[in-house]
Amino acid sequence: MSAVKQNRILIFGAGVIGSIYAMKFMEAGFDVSLFARSDRFRALQEKGLQYNDKGTVRTIPVKVMDTLENDDIYDFIFVTVRYDRAESALLALKDNQSPNIVTMTNSSIGFSSWRRIVGDRLLPAFPGFGGQIKDGVLYARFMPKLLVATTFGEMNGAVTQRIVKLSQVFQAAKLPYAIKKNMQAYLITHSVSDIALLGGLYSGHRMTDPVTPGTRQTARQITVTLKAYLKAIRKAGVAVDPPFFKIVPKLPSCMLDLLFIAWLRTNMVKDMLLPDYANAANQEVVQLENDLTKFLTMQNG
């Protein structure tokens, strides 16, 4: 394990996802730095990484920076920003000499624009948890391990040396992970579910009513959008993954409506309706949908 623990890791983006990975990797004994900006940078510098542990606020000191030198080399840089900010984050990392850049975000269009910026250093991935930061304190929300794991894989599907090395990092941090052969298909499918769920949630909610919109109307909108886009990506030749989504277009709409009504009434959705989260997530969904439309047009053109 000692070889693994010498890894230097940079987390580029200190929101919920970046903060959780930083915490878990530090606990595992890695040399971790966090890249943050403005208020978040100052808060981390002054107070350390604050997190909620079963009702108690705990703090871990963290190395934090707001500028990165090109010759400051890390084994892995994890880019933990929203999809609509991914390109500008990669442009900021373009001249840094680190060999592996792990993008922890959705993509509804594939990797060609990101690859133009950072080349084959790009390693697509997707995080396995969520939560919120409230008054500077991280509230992590871990899903059941059977349901959600951090997912990653090479763009060409090969199990390379760096995939093995990254797996060892996750093993050491005791974080569940899955290696995918076709990350593009996985991320496009995931984008479709986010566009349907979050798009339905925010358009049906208008972000003003404090009561969770557990309405049949919102649920029906999610069902219709999800079915339509799953059929469209399949028609465009995307291998729908996870495979469960292949059967969704064939399920009765009323059954899916009930499932989404139940989801709309969860605590997770209450978190997602908080104004800061909702506004940011809404911007991300708009860009995901625009890019998915572009992708489908290109495939069918």
Side-chain angles (χ1 to χ4, degrees):
M1 198 59 82
S2 59
V4 175
K5 296 213 171 178
Q6 287 161 8
N7 278 335
R8 289 189 82 216
I9 293 172
L10 175 66
I11 312 281
F12 193 93
V16 172
I17 302 299
S19 299
I20 296 174
Y21 280 118
M23 190 170 80
K24 289 292 182 184
F25 292 152
M26 282 191 288
E27 283 172 0
F30 293 110
D31 177 357
V32 179
S33 299
L34 253 176
F35 183 96
R37 288 208 166 100
S38 57
D39 293 349
R40 185 71 178 140
F41 169 73
R42 284 189 292 276
L44 288 164
Q45 208 177 28
E46 288 164 21
K47 298 176 182 171
L49 180 49
Q50 295 183 297
Y51 65 97
N52 175 61
D53 179 17
K54 296 175 186 141
T56 306
V57 175
R58 303 195 186 281
T59 304
I60 29 177
V62 60
K63 284 194 272 188
V64 60
M65 62 173 80
D66 61 354
T67 51
L68 177 65
E69 301 303 325
N70 291 341
D71 58 357
D72 188 9
I73 312 290
Y74 295 85
D75 294 279
F76 291 100
I77 296 180
F78 290 86
V79 178
T80 54
V81 299
R82 293 195 323 265
Y83 176 66
D84 51 313
R85 293 186 176 170
E87 198 157 302
S88 61
L90 291 174
L91 284 165
L93 293 169
K94 185 174 184 242
D95 297 323
N96 181 274
Q97 300 302 302
S98 299
N100 304 304
I101 296 176
V102 185
T103 46
M104 284 274 172
T105 186
N106 264 322
S107 169
S108 53
I109 203 165
F111 311 122
S112 54
S113 66
W114 294 352
R115 203 172 186 169
R116 276 197 292 274
I117 301 168
V118 295
D120 289 337
R121 295 183 295 158
L122 182 70
L123 189 53
F126 196 78
F129 33 66
Q132 58 169 309
I133 292 173
K134 208 161 62 180
D135 301 326
V137 179
L138 171 68
Y139 292 78
R141 195 183 284 287
F142 294 99
M143 308 294 179
K145 291 185 180 183
L146 285 169
L147 287 181
V148 185
T150 300
T151 310
F152 52 86
E154 292 287 1
M155 287 175 282
N156 64 4
V159 179
T160 54
Q161 191 97 38
R162 66 179 181 170
I163 289 286
V164 173
K165 199 173 168 188
L166 191 54
S167 305
Q168 291 170 337
V169 168
F170 280 90
Q171 283 163 17
K174 298 188 174 64
L175 285 170
Y177 66 92
I179 300 167
K180 289 276 176 190
K181 285 255 189 309
N182 188 342
M183 276 305 290
Q184 177 163 324
Y186 177 81
L187 289 175
I188 288 172
T189 309
H190 197 282
S191 297
V192 162
S193 76
D194 269 8
I195 289 164
L197 288 163
L198 301 180
L201 179 62
Y202 297 133
S203 72
H205 187 61
R206 300 287 169 225
M207 291 183 241
T208 52
D209 178 5
V211 179
T212 307
T215 63
R216 189 169 290 276
Q217 196 182 351
T218 304
R220 175 48 57 105
Q221 187 185 337
I222 293 170
T223 297
V224 169
T225 308
L226 185 61
K227 282 189 167 190
Y229 274 136
L230 285 171
K231 282 178 187 159
I233 62 170
R234 206 165 178 186
K235 191 179 160 205
V238 174
V240 173
D241 179 33
F244 160 75
F245 281 112
K246 287 180 188 168
I247 62 162
V248 166
K250 297 176 188 147
L251 293 173
S253 292
C254 55
M255 186 173 140
L256 289 168
D257 291 352
L258 290 172
L259 185 75
F260 295 133
I261 286 170
W263 175 73
L264 287 163
R265 290 176 176 159
T266 60
N267 285 333
M268 185 169 110
V269 168
K270 279 186 193 149
D271 288 355
M272 291 157 91
L273 288 170
L274 294 167
D276 286 358
Y277 185 104
N279 291 328
N282 196 35
Q283 284 166 25
E284 180 175 35
V285 168
V286 167
Q287 180 144 2
L288 279 171
E289 190 160 21
N290 288 344
D291 285 353
L292 181 66
T293 306
K294 268 185 229 161
F295 171 79
L296 293 169
T297 307
M298 287 187 309
Q299 300 309 302
N300 299 324

